[in-house]
């Protein structure tokens, strides 16, 4: 009995001696491997190792500084780590780590240096990390432009799995997107790590993005969801996917509309800047495309956004008006087409008050939802055809023109519309919020002035028919259109009639 106890004490003393002698060697071995693998200066605080019955190690305050640089945050900082390995696996080559648990992990990826290459010759890491757990970690990528803020991701959960040295690790992660806030769930592959240019490390995967609240951007609202996939390197990621916002709205009108997009984009993973190639969108039943480049945080960081938008095959004016006009139903219906440059300058006001548009548009088969307005348009058409007694409201109009939108005021310097019997050319302005109209122009009609009237007026106006007849038309009438979109007023401009030759 005493002999067995003596043997046990002797073995305990030997194991203790081996651990005491092994820990400094292991410490230097780990630091040397990290320095070589990540081409960084490595610092390590306390390290405790247990070899029996399995290998376990805990360490604190591990810091890696990329290329020894102290003019930026450490590339990797770990408050505490725990290593678990089977005894046989730990003392083979390469050493296999069954589990690496990281606490307080912070990664600050440095910006790309000049002359970097995707084909860097990386030293081989002497460890195979079978499973890595790094919950509640922070990833920051440092942009190439020093005036831009880092791109920050806070990951609630991160799991990585490896099958061998020099191969990509699979991962699963959950994180909250800062703006718009929402939950991202992603899985894919990462690596191998590029020691010369960390942002050249390859990444690929799929993601889901849920419950993103767009109301954080002033002037719009809606809950967005997105699904997609991505592939590339950390500084250049190609993303394809879809978004759905069933209740997208502009606060100026507050009429929710379903908005669906299919997109391809190039994302700079170091600063979040995005190039669209282009986005195919569907608002209600209307299809259009948007292309351009967007700096990350442009809406809230006072940066100008420049885009181009155009309709494709099917687009309807009522979908866009419902989004922008307060009335319970859109003022008009019909087909539409547009091609416009979009500029959103910086500012604190709603997006609808800041957005600037320059482009061309067309409207086909337009009918007004207000019975009174539609009847006025129909009366114009009937009188222009010499049928003043016709009261049929079923008349459609076509519009074309150029437009400029500034500070909520829509300028139309060359608006043309036609109904059967009349061609109208106008120039003027329309206020988006109030709906006020102010247009001046001319109407060319097929009928003469007298043919546009009945009774005594028809007889009396025959004398002035020659005064208005010109350019091959029955009459050319200077007109003003004022009032509001719900109650427009069409008036003959008598002053211009008297002044003209």
């Amino acid at each position: 009995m005493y002999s067995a106890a003596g043997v046990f004490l002797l073995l305990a003393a030997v194991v203790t001696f081996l651990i005491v002698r092994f820990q400094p060697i292991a410490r230097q071995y780990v630091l040397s491997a990290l320095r070589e693998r990540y081409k960084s200066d490595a610092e390590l605080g306390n390290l405790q190792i247990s070899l029996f019955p399995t290998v376990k190690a805990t360490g604190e305050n591990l810091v890696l500084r990329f290329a020894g640089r102290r003019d930026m945050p450490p590339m990797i900082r770990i408050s505490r780590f725990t290593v678990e390995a089977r005894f046989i696996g730990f003392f083979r080559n390469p050493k296999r780590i069954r589990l690496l648990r990281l606490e307080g992990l912070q990664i600050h990826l440095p910006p790309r240096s000049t002359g970097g290459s995707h084909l860097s010759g990386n030293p081989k890491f002497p460890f195979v990390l079978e499973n890595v757990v790094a919950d509640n970690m922070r990833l920051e990528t440092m942009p190439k432009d020093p005036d831009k803020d880092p791109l920050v991701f806070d990951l609630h959960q991160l799991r990585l799995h490896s099958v061998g040295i020099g191969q990509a690790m699979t991962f699963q992660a959950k994180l909250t997107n800062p703006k718009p806030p929402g939950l991202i769930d992603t899985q894919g592959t990462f690596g191998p790590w590029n020691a010369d240019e960390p942002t050249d490390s390859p990444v690929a995967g799929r993601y889901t993005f849920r419950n993103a609240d767009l109301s954080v951007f002033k002037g719009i609202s809606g809950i967005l969801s997105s699904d997609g996939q991505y592939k590339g390197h950390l500084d250049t990621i190609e993303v394809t996917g879809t978004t759905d916002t069933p209740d997208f709205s502009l606060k100026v009108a507050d009429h929710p509309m379903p908005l669906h997009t299919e997109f391809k984009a190039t994302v700079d993973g170091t600063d979040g800047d995005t190039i669209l190639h282009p986005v195919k969108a569907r608002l209600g039943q209307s299809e259009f495309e948007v292309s351009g480049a967007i700096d990350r945080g442009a809406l809230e960081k006072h940066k100008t956004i420049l885009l181009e938008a155009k309709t494709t095959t099917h687009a309807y004016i009522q979908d866009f008006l419902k989004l922008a006009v307060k009335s319970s139903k859109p003022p008009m219906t019909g087909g539409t087409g547009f091609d416009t440059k979009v500029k959103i300058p910086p500012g604190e006001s709603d997006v609808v008050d800041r957005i600037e548009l320059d482009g061309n548009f067309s409207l086909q088969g337009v009918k007004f939802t207000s019975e009174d307005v539609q009847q006025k348009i129909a009366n114009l058409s009937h009188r222009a055809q010499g049928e003043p007694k016709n009261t049929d409201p079923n008349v459609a109009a076509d519009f074309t023109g150029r437009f400029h939108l500034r500070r909520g005021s829509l300028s139309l310097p060359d608006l043309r519309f036609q109904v059967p019997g009349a061609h109208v050319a106008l120039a003027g302005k329309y206020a988006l919020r109030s709906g006020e109209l102010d247009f001046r122009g001319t109407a060319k009609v097929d009928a003469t002035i007298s043919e546009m009237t009945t009774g005594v007026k028809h007889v009396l106006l025959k004398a002035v028919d020659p005064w208005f007849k010109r350019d091959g038309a029955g009459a050319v009438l200077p007109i003003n259109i004022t009032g509001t979109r719900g109650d427009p007023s069409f008036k003959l401009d008598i002053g211009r009639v008297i002044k003209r030759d």
Side-chain angles (χ1 to χ4, degrees):
M1 178 175 167
Y2 291 108
S3 175
V7 171
F8 178 79
L9 290 174
L10 177 60
L11 289 174
V14 170
V15 170
T16 301
F17 174 78
L18 289 174
I19 292 175
V20 170
R21 294 295 301 272
F22 178 71
Q23 286 191 155
I25 298 173
R27 178 189 183 87
Q28 291 304 314
Y29 178 80
V30 169
L31 288 174
S32 176
L34 290 172
R35 287 168 183 152
E36 183 179 4
R37 177 66 182 88
Y38 294 101
K39 298 193 175 180
S40 302
D41 285 353
E43 305 168 9
L44 177 61
N46 184 45
L47 178 66
Q48 299 291 328
I49 298 177
S50 170
L51 298 178
F52 186 81
T54 59
V55 177
K56 291 185 177 180
T58 59
E60 297 176 349
N61 301 323
L62 175 62
V63 175
L64 300 180
R65 296 185 182 275
F66 180 67
R69 295 182 60 175
R70 294 184 175 270
D71 58 333
M72 61 177 61
M75 183 174 68
I76 296 176
R77 183 189 294 275
I78 302 170
S79 299
R80 178 183 174 85
F81 65 86
T82 304
V83 173
E84 297 180 12
R86 299 174 184 84
F87 192 87
I88 296 177
F90 187 75
F91 285 99
R92 62 192 289 189
N93 191 24
K95 306 181 187 308
R96 302 190 72 87
I97 305 298
R98 184 175 64 85
L99 175 64
L100 172 61
R101 188 180 300 275
L102 306 174
E103 301 175 34
L105 171 62
Q106 296 182 28
I107 299 177
H108 301 265
L109 290 179
R112 169 187 288 278
S113 60
T114 58
S117 170
H118 292 296
L119 302 175
S120 170
N122 286 321
K124 291 199 173 179
F125 197 43
F127 296 94
V128 175
L129 305 175
E130 295 179 355
N131 297 282
V132 179
V133 176
D135 295 342
N136 300 316
M137 67 158 286
R138 168 166 288 196
L139 170 64
E140 291 190 12
T141 58
M142 310 296 289
K144 296 180 284 289
D145 185 348
D147 294 330
K148 292 186 176 182
D149 295 330
L151 190 60
V152 180
F153 299 96
D154 289 313
L155 282 72
H156 312 308
Q157 293 183 7
L158 176 63
R159 305 285 189 273
L160 298 118
H161 310 278
S162 176
V163 294
I165 289 178
Q167 299 185 44
M169 300 185 76
T170 61
F171 69 86
Q172 301 89 38
K174 295 181 183 293
L175 63 150
T176 297
N177 191 65
K179 272 196 174 184
L183 182 64
I184 298 175
D185 196 333
T186 180
Q187 51 277 328
T189 60
F190 175 74
W193 179 267
N194 188 309
D196 290 328
E197 290 287 356
T199 57
D200 273 357
S201 302
V203 63
R206 303 186 63 85
Y207 75 89
T208 60
F209 185 24
R210 295 291 182 266
N211 300 319
D213 188 354
L214 299 180
S215 65
V216 295
F217 303 119
K218 197 167 185 179
I220 65 176
S221 64
I223 302 300
L224 175 145
S225 63
S226 179
D227 296 87
Q229 55 191 15
Y230 52 91
K231 184 177 182 180
H233 300 83
L234 290 176
D235 62 352
T236 308
I237 304 174
E238 300 298 328
V239 186
T240 61
T242 62
T243 71
D244 281 287
T245 310
D247 56 350
F248 180 78
S249 69
L250 299 178
K251 292 183 179 178
V252 64
D254 198 25
H255 290 153
M257 292 281 291
L259 176 62
H260 171 83
T261 71
E262 299 176 6
F263 66 89
K264 292 183 179 180
T266 301
V267 179
D268 187 332
T270 66
D271 58 21
D273 291 352
T274 302
I275 300 174
L276 307 175
H277 308 295
V279 174
K280 295 182 178 180
R282 185 176 66 248
L283 177 69
Q285 300 299 315
S286 297
E287 299 175 358
F288 61 101
E289 293 183 350
V290 178
S291 59
I294 302 177
D295 284 357
R296 175 180 64 97
L299 282 176
E300 68 269 20
K301 291 187 177 296
H302 310 294
K303 297 179 181 179
T304 297
I305 298 175
L306 296 174
L307 302 170
E308 293 187 10
K310 63 180 181 180
T311 51
T312 52
T313 52
H314 306 288
Y316 307 95
I317 187 61
Q318 58 265 33
D319 288 331
F320 299 97
L321 289 176
K322 184 176 180 181
L323 193 67
V325 176
K326 276 190 174 182
S327 56
S328 58
K329 56 184 178 180
M332 63 181 76
T333 63
T336 186
F338 59 78
D339 188 346
T340 179
K341 295 185 182 299
V342 181
K343 179 179 180 181
I344 305 178
E348 297 296 334
S349 59
D350 284 0
V351 171
V352 72
D353 293 321
R354 285 184 284 131
I355 192 169
E356 299 179 4
L357 304 177
D358 287 283
N360 304 290
F361 77 98
S362 64
L363 304 175
Q364 306 88 33
V366 170
K367 292 185 178 180
F368 292 82
T369 55
S370 164
E371 292 182 4
D372 183 51
V373 175
Q374 179 61 27
Q375 190 63 62
K376 289 179 179 180
I377 295 296
N379 289 344
L380 171 63
S381 176
H382 297 322
R383 289 179 180 274
Q385 297 176 81
E387 302 174 358
K389 293 183 179 181
N390 190 341
T391 58
D392 181 7
N394 190 27
V395 172
D398 294 332
F399 295 76
T400 61
R402 294 183 292 112
F403 61 89
H404 311 288
L405 177 65
R406 300 286 188 282
R407 295 181 291 277
S409 177
L410 184 64
S411 173
L412 296 157
D414 183 24
L415 172 63
R416 299 176 183 272
F417 80 89
Q418 65 181 51
V419 290
H423 291 75
V424 182
L426 298 168
K429 293 183 178 181
Y430 166 64
L432 287 186
R433 287 188 180 273
S434 66
E436 292 182 357
L437 304 167
D438 184 13
F439 290 90
R440 291 161 57 94
T442 58
K444 287 185 177 182
V445 298
D446 294 345
T448 63
I449 288 292
S450 62
E451 291 172 338
M452 297 175 67
T453 61
T454 60
V456 176
K457 287 183 180 180
H458 173 72
V459 176
L460 295 176
L461 289 175
K462 282 183 178 291
V464 300
D465 280 345
W467 185 269
F468 291 93
K469 186 179 281 191
R470 61 177 61 195
D471 299 333
V476 177
L477 307 173
I479 62 171
N480 292 342
I481 301 179
T482 56
T484 65
R485 60 175 170 258
D487 186 22
S489 174
F490 300 83
K491 292 183 179 179
L492 183 66
D493 192 337
I494 299 299
R496 283 193 288 153
V497 172
I498 295 173
K499 289 180 181 179
R500 70 183 184 177
D501 295 331

